[in-house]
Amino acid sequence: MLQDQFGREHNYLRLSLTERCNLRCFYCMPAEGVPLSPKDHIMSTEEIETIAGTFVKMGVNKIRFTGGEPLLRKDFANVAERLSKFNCELAVTTNGILVDQYLQTFKDTGIKKINVSLDTLDESKFNSITRRDYFKRVMSNIELLFTHGFVPKINVVVIKNVNDNELIDFINLTKEWPTTVQFIEFMPFSGNKWDLTQTVRSEQILEAANLYFGKNNISKIQDKANDTSRKYGVNSYKGNFGLISTVSNPFCDSCNRIRLTANGRIKNCLFSQGETDLLKAVRAGEDLEQLIRESIYNKKSKRGGIQDFSSESGILKAQENRSMVMIGG
Ligand code: SAM
Ligand code: SF4
């Protein structure tokens, strides 16, 4: 098992397949995009297989494909097919635009856990958040997933005065959809012009739900050991909603996550400043296991060493990080 210095076991790898994206969500990246790594600095299909295989050998039993937009990667089906041979659950987080092209791949490779990001149910707001015009496609692809027997979770980054007036509309989706809508607190990263006043705390979301539906009509749902979201449901609704409180109340004590960027660097935390270059090591024929073990062991206790986001130094540190599009969430 991959343990850090605090005894936390790490069995979940978030694997970024590309730095590119077909959206430009303002909370994730600057409008002009981000400088991309040269193509030959991005992991090839074979290198992903080797590195992911090493993680699995060391105890990882869940891999989530992310990005950038993971389905933009031309060899996505091939990567998924190769990794499906490992004794490991596969999952994907996507903006949904290309989902219709990969239904068969999801079925063939056993990808059942699909998270689709959708921050608003209003088309013109979607266009201004994402700076692109794909709302109808994303909505129809979410419906298509249900038609094909998948139960996608919906990821919503909640931002003050942007989409916090849609919380109830999103929860109402769970009346008929047996899904989880995950409300994520807006987090600071390089280039996203974050400010604490724009973060809607999970607690405020729960208050809004209690106020609208009545406290007695909302039940707490049992979370699993390493869940990052605290789940609640409106009684009699088929689905439920989850609160992901990275800013106001991080869940670092039970963190089991490792991140690998598309250019092959381990980030042992979403907010870690340091990275470990596994791609360079694999190309030099070096031992990956030792590097992985050291990186995980040295993980900081909380948010990559950032104590809080209310101090100037905490915010600056967070914004010295990569943009989210270059990490993968
Ligand atoms: N392109 C895919 C997508 O959008 O689902 C996968 C990559 S995206 C970086 C992964 C997740 O990070 C998405 O759910 C997105 O909403 C979330 N995210 C991006 N920037 C964020 C921020 N500043 N705060 C909180 N979540 C963020
Ligand atoms: Fe692209 Fe996902 Fe970031 Fe939006 S959140 S810009 S879809 S990577």
Side-chain angles (χ1 to χ4, degrees):
M1 257 299 174
L2 271 169
Q3 268 199 2
D4 70 7
Q5 56 188 315
F6 305 100
R8 291 174 296 194
E9 289 183 352
H10 289 72
N11 59 352
Y12 175 16
L13 176 68
R14 296 185 62 99
L15 172 55
S16 175
L17 295 182
T18 177
E19 298 172 350
R20 294 184 307 122
C21 193
N22 37 10
L23 294 183
R24 290 284 178 279
C25 305
F26 77 83
Y27 54 76
C28 181
M29 65 194 290
E32 66 278 12
V34 285
L36 299 177
S37 304
K39 206 163 177 267
D40 64 338
H41 291 204
I42 298 294
M43 293 182 289
S44 68
T45 325
E46 291 74 20
E47 287 162 343
I48 292 174
E49 188 179 17
T50 304
I51 295 174
T54 309
F55 276 106
V56 172
K57 198 170 141 212
M58 298 177 81
V60 162
N61 57 19
K62 176 174 174 186
I63 296 179
R64 178 174 290 278
F65 298 122
T66 178
E69 174 45 41
L71 302 184
L72 265 185
R73 198 170 155 129
K74 296 251 168 1
D75 61 353
F76 176 78
N78 190 5
V79 170
E81 210 263 319
R82 288 180 186 223
L83 270 53
S84 69
K85 306 275 185 321
F86 298 146
N87 185 16
C88 177
E89 180 182 36
L90 297 182
V92 67
T93 296
T94 169
N95 60 29
I97 295 171
L98 298 172
V99 150
D100 49 308
Q101 297 176 23
Y102 287 104
L103 293 168
Q104 197 54 49
T105 301
F106 297 153
K107 289 178 189 173
D108 292 345
T109 57
I111 297 179
K112 293 198 181 71
K113 292 193 170 159
I114 301 174
N115 290 4
V116 181
S117 300
L118 176 72
D119 305 302
T120 175
L121 300 170
D122 175 286
E123 181 162 10
S124 67
K125 205 190 283 183
F126 180 95
N127 296 351
S128 73
I129 292 175
T130 66
R131 303 169 173 129
R132 295 288 185 274
D133 177 16
Y134 285 114
F135 179 74
K136 289 194 179 71
R137 204 144 130 193
V138 173
M139 287 306 284
S140 71
N141 274 343
I142 291 174
E143 278 163 24
L144 194 65
L145 281 168
F146 280 113
T147 313
H148 280 258
F150 296 97
V151 183
K153 287 187 182 171
I154 311 295
N155 283 357
V156 185
V157 179
V158 184
I159 303 173
K160 185 101 191 138
N161 297 332
V162 174
N163 58 354
D164 56 335
N165 60 343
E166 294 189 63
L167 300 172
I168 303 303
D169 297 339
F170 271 108
I171 294 175
N172 274 332
L173 284 181
T174 68
K175 188 171 186 179
E176 293 306 328
W177 286 0
T179 182
T180 302
V181 172
Q182 307 198 107
F183 294 116
I184 307 172
E185 289 180 345
F186 178 31
M187 297 180 270
F189 292 97
S190 169
N192 75 354
K193 302 196 178 87
W194 180 88
D195 152 358
L196 185 58
T197 61
Q198 293 169 294
T199 295
V200 181
R201 286 178 288 112
S202 294
E203 229 172 77
Q204 295 171 297
I205 298 174
L206 186 58
E207 274 164 24
N210 281 336
L211 194 66
Y212 184 85
F213 295 101
K215 212 171 173 175
N216 291 340
N217 292 320
I218 295 198
S219 304
K220 178 77 191 76
I221 291 168
Q222 181 73 44
D223 301 311
K224 295 199 201 89
N226 298 106
D227 275 355
T228 51
S229 86
R230 284 178 293 125
K231 279 201 254 352
Y232 297 83
V234 179
N235 299 341
S236 85
Y237 279 22
K238 291 184 182 154
N240 52 57
F241 62 97
L243 305 172
I244 303 186
S245 56
T246 321
V247 174
S248 66
N249 183 17
F251 26 80
C252 305
D253 289 350
S254 60
C255 185
N256 65 343
R257 297 168 170 223
I258 308 165
R259 292 173 168 87
L260 187 69
T261 64
N263 65 345
R265 314 271 174 103
I266 305 179
K267 278 181 80 70
N268 62 15
C269 170
L270 193 49
F271 298 102
S272 62
Q273 309 280 300
E275 299 178 351
T276 300
D277 194 344
L278 286 189
L279 184 55
K280 191 167 150 218
V282 97
R283 288 182 182 175
E286 289 168 10
D287 177 24
L288 297 184
E289 291 196 23
Q290 181 63 17
L291 286 171
I292 293 173
R293 222 176 280 289
E294 271 170 24
S295 167
I296 300 308
Y297 186 81
N298 290 323
K299 179 164 172 156
K300 300 261 174 44
S301 67
K302 189 175 158 188
R303 283 192 300 224
I306 299 175
Q307 284 314 308
D308 66 74
F309 294 130
S310 50
S311 68
E312 188 112 340
S313 63
I315 298 167
L316 279 176
K317 244 185 172 179
Q319 292 179 330
E320 277 162 19
N321 198 349
R322 292 167 172 244
S323 289
M324 183 63 124
V325 68
M326 304 285 275
I327 305 173

